[in-house]
Amino acid sequence: MSNWEHRKLGDEAHIIMGQSPDGSTYSKEPSDYILIQGNADLINGWVVPRTWTTQITKLAEPGDLIMSVRAPAGEMGKTLYKAVIGRGVAAIKGNEFLYQLLTKMNVEGYWKRLAAGSTFESLNSKDINNSRIAVPPETEQEQIGRLFSTIDKTIALHQRK
């Protein structure tokens, strides 16, 4: 790890905090835009559509990492969809390495410790942006990301059996 650098997460990735659309624009029927509201929309590390909206507030793009910022704060997923993000999530422009790193931080209780100080467990943009992470050079990030992605797929395959 000698060539790894310690950086703030906000310096390594572009983070977009969600903003909920008006409730009157919500629908359970597929319509204009998928709405990602929180942890309930993340299943096995992926966004699974359950609510739609006609109002665009903040958008996540396909391939974005999705972090739940409200109870339980820190849960991670990815999206295959262009979707509106509500105030219960943040969209992070990052790679597979960053996804695996943020998932590890969650498993180790990092986000829970940060969120513990508030009455309602939540993370704000300052908490996320200022979190210190160690990152290797880009080529090494790609290799590590591919390795963990392969491991995740193998685990999922065995769980289906």
Side-chain angles (χ1 to χ4, degrees):
M1 275 191 22
S2 60
N3 58 351
W4 288 43
E5 294 182 32
H6 291 273
R7 301 181 188 159
K8 290 181 181 179
L9 178 56
D11 293 339
E12 186 65 18
H14 180 67
I15 301 162
I16 302 165
M17 300 299 286
Q19 178 182 341
S20 295
D22 186 271
S24 66
T25 68
Y26 292 15
S27 172
K28 293 294 180 187
E29 297 298 319
S31 63
D32 297 334
Y33 300 96
I34 295 165
L35 174 60
I36 308 170
Q37 298 178 11
N39 190 50
D41 299 307
L42 304 176
I43 299 176
N44 296 324
W46 292 97
V47 168
V48 176
R50 66 183 182 98
T51 306
W52 286 260
T53 182
T54 56
Q55 182 185 8
I56 297 174
T57 51
K58 303 276 183 88
L59 284 173
E61 298 294 333
D64 282 356
L65 313 178
I66 304 297
M67 174 188 276
S68 174
V69 297
R70 298 198 171 202
E75 293 295 322
M76 294 297 303
K78 301 175 209 172
T79 184
L80 296 171
Y81 312 100
K82 184 172 187 173
V84 173
I85 54 173
R87 66 182 181 177
V89 296
I92 301 170
K93 309 289 184 196
N95 58 21
E96 184 66 22
F97 171 82
L98 190 58
Y99 171 77
Q100 297 291 338
L101 178 64
L102 296 175
T103 299
K104 177 183 180 286
M105 291 168 73
N106 185 48
V107 169
E108 292 176 342
Y110 178 85
W111 303 114
K112 188 172 263 330
R113 286 190 298 277
L114 269 184
S118 64
T119 306
F120 178 73
E121 181 184 323
S122 65
L123 297 168
N124 60 42
S125 60
K126 186 177 175 184
D127 293 331
I128 299 168
N129 280 299
N130 291 332
S131 294
R132 303 289 295 174
I133 59 172
V135 293
E138 188 72 32
T139 55
E140 198 170 333
Q141 286 183 38
E142 291 170 13
Q143 292 170 345
I144 293 168
R146 277 195 303 273
L147 172 66
F148 280 106
S149 179
T150 300
I151 292 169
D152 282 349
K153 288 174 185 171
T154 302
I155 291 169
L157 179 64
H158 285 285
Q159 286 175 339
R160 278 189 230 125
K161 287 183 179 179

